[in-house]
Amino acid sequence: MPAHMLQEMSGSYTTTTTITAPPGGLQNGVQKPDPAPQYAEADVRPEIDDTHDPSYQDEEGPPPKLEYVWRNIILMTLLHTGALYGITLVPTCKFYTVLWAYLYYVVSALGITAGAHRLWSHRTYKARLPLRIFLIMANTMAFQNDVYEWARDHRAHHKFSETHADPHNSRRGFFFSHVGWLLVRKHPAVKEKGGLLDMSDLKAEKLVMFQRRYYKPGLLLMCFILPTLVPWYCWGETFLHSLYVATFLRYAVVLNATWLVNSAAHLFGYRPYDKNIESRENILVSLGAVGEGFHNYHHAFPYDYSASEYRWHINLTTFFIDCMAALGLAYDRKKVSKAAVLARIKRTGDGSYKSG
Ligand SMILES: [Zn+2]
Ligand SMILES: [Zn+2]
């Protein structure tokens, strides 16, 4: 089925909130002069503290000193060594174990993309309690810090992109923005500026605070114990295969797929929507991170529930949210209008945009 037909189907489930074209943009097919370059985009959802603040810039000075966190370095090394060994065990796994590991990867990735990212960091749609309970469990399976901490880091990443207050500042190189930022102490600017972010919406959400309170036992159960025990108990997989494939390999794959959004999607790809920011469109990242590689678009329009100009095009997360909307569990999905997107492309794009 052609993508545009699927998109129409997905749009017909419920009313999608459309953010209309800014004044001065492309309206009724006629290009009008743009009187205010910083148009209404920033005013759409002022209640979420994730809007890029270009006025914040690094002070001149020597590069920051690295303070290693040896506990994390050792744990990450052990995890990745275990995952590499897990790869060698895949051919001797039972079919159900591979299927289980794959499903666990998809669900835990959705806990990050549909949960921590599009719902809780950016509030791009609303979710009813059963969906929020599912997403908080899926998020705990992914073990990338609790939703509150993830969202605080992520709002800082958008607001202070490519400065020292951005937790995974891509100006510090591929390795730092990929995993290095988790292996050293946070830059003082991250703590200072991150601490000033408005997180009141998450503090007021009981489910998010519940996860934060019981995060340690929760992640041990959901990320390590459950995925290891199920293949072992339910279909007689060996403990070794369960642990190294369904747990270590699957966890390492989800981590790296997510990290690529911060590293590769800030370094490699075109910038059709805004050439003044570092985030880029990267199809390979979209494939691994279930739809989060349209990253130039996402930083240009962080309030769009699809994190992409398109809906189901290499975007399992949007497909999932649309299915939830069809079931009545997700609603108020915010989508930027085509006119606003085209106006932005014309104003700040790098010229790589292919229309049609
Ligand atoms: Zn980014
Ligand atoms: Zn984001």
Side-chain angles (χ1 to χ4, degrees):
M1 202 184 289
H4 69 275
M5 281 178 69
L6 294 172
Q7 282 167 24
E8 278 160 21
M9 272 173 61
S10 68
S12 66
Y13 294 145
T14 59
T15 317
T16 299
T17 306
T18 298
I19 294 156
T20 50
L26 189 69
Q27 285 166 347
N28 302 325
V30 181
Q31 182 66 33
K32 294 178 184 171
D34 196 341
Q38 287 301 317
Y39 55 61
E41 285 155 23
D43 305 329
V44 175
R45 278 176 30 257
E47 75 274 19
I48 302 300
D49 205 1
D50 61 358
T51 309
H52 185 222
D53 175 7
S55 69
Y56 180 78
Q57 293 297 332
D58 287 333
E59 287 165 20
E60 296 284 322
K65 207 172 140 276
L66 294 179
E67 265 185 79
Y68 298 109
V69 180
W70 286 105
R71 181 176 155 275
N72 290 5
I73 294 172
I74 292 165
L75 288 175
M76 279 299 167
T77 309
L78 288 175
L79 171 71
H80 283 78
T81 311
L84 287 175
Y85 179 57
I87 293 175
T88 70
L89 293 180
V90 171
T92 48
C93 265
K94 295 197 172 183
F95 170 73
Y96 282 120
T97 309
V98 177
L99 187 69
W100 167 255
Y102 178 72
L103 289 177
Y104 222 88
Y105 150 73
V106 171
V107 172
S108 52
L110 287 172
I112 296 296
T113 61
H117 190 218
R118 299 191 198 177
L119 179 65
W120 282 301
S121 294
H122 296 302
R123 301 282 178 191
T124 65
Y125 69 100
K126 295 194 175 87
R128 300 201 191 282
L129 187 62
L131 176 56
R132 285 191 288 123
I133 290 173
F134 170 79
L135 287 172
I136 211 93
M137 287 169 66
N139 181 271
T140 311
M141 285 155 71
F143 180 23
Q144 294 189 9
N145 292 335
D146 60 66
V147 162
Y148 182 87
E149 195 172 337
W150 202 102
R152 190 184 55 204
D153 279 345
H154 194 69
R155 286 178 187 179
H157 167 62
H158 275 261
K159 191 165 182 178
F160 309 112
S161 297
E162 270 74 55
T163 69
H164 286 314
D166 173 352
H168 32 83
N169 178 8
S170 71
R171 289 204 203 283
R172 294 175 71 177
F174 185 95
F175 186 80
F176 179 84
S177 56
H178 192 73
V179 57
W181 66 285
L182 293 163
L183 309 179
V184 294
R185 294 253 169 262
K186 280 185 159 94
H187 191 282
V190 173
K191 288 186 195 157
E192 188 200 323
K193 302 301 283 185
L196 296 173
L197 288 171
D198 179 6
M199 301 297 292
S200 54
D201 58 314
L202 290 167
K203 280 183 191 152
E205 196 167 331
K206 286 197 181 96
L207 190 64
V208 171
M209 289 298 110
F210 177 86
Q211 186 211 28
R212 188 162 167 78
R213 188 163 176 191
Y214 297 104
Y215 193 58
K216 262 195 190 138
L219 77 88
L220 283 174
L221 178 69
M222 302 298 286
C223 184
F224 298 104
I225 298 171
L226 188 70
T228 308
L229 291 191
V230 166
W232 189 43
Y233 267 116
C234 295
W235 50 87
E237 182 58 274
T238 73
F239 185 78
L240 207 68
H241 282 77
S242 291
L243 182 66
Y244 282 93
V245 178
T247 295
F248 292 151
L249 178 57
R250 178 265 320 160
Y251 177 40
V253 168
V254 178
L255 280 180
N256 281 278
T258 316
W259 294 340
L260 282 169
V261 181
N262 303 331
S263 54
H266 272 258
L267 295 164
F268 313 119
Y270 289 113
R271 291 178 281 184
Y273 305 98
D274 194 338
K275 62 178 185 291
N276 307 312
I277 56 180
E278 287 303 320
S279 57
R280 289 141 200 272
E281 302 287 287
N282 191 308
I283 298 280
L284 288 177
V285 174
S286 268
L287 279 171
V290 293
E292 299 285 44
F294 304 96
H295 209 53
N296 189 244
Y297 182 90
H298 174 59
H299 273 261
F301 303 104
Y303 36 82
D304 189 309
Y305 89 102
S306 192
S308 159
E309 181 185 346
Y310 312 101
R311 283 201 161 102
W312 297 357
H313 171 64
I314 323 179
N315 205 326
L316 185 72
T317 304
T318 301
F319 177 74
F320 170 78
I321 297 171
D322 286 346
C323 289
M324 293 300 111
L327 294 171
L329 292 171
Y331 60 104
D332 200 8
R333 294 165 293 167
K334 294 181 179 62
K335 190 92 195 80
V336 178
S337 73
K338 186 85 180 164
V341 174
L342 290 175
R344 179 67 176 259
I345 290 165
K346 199 166 170 60
R347 190 166 61 84
T348 55
D350 68 357
S352 66
Y353 185 78
K354 287 179 195 69
S355 55

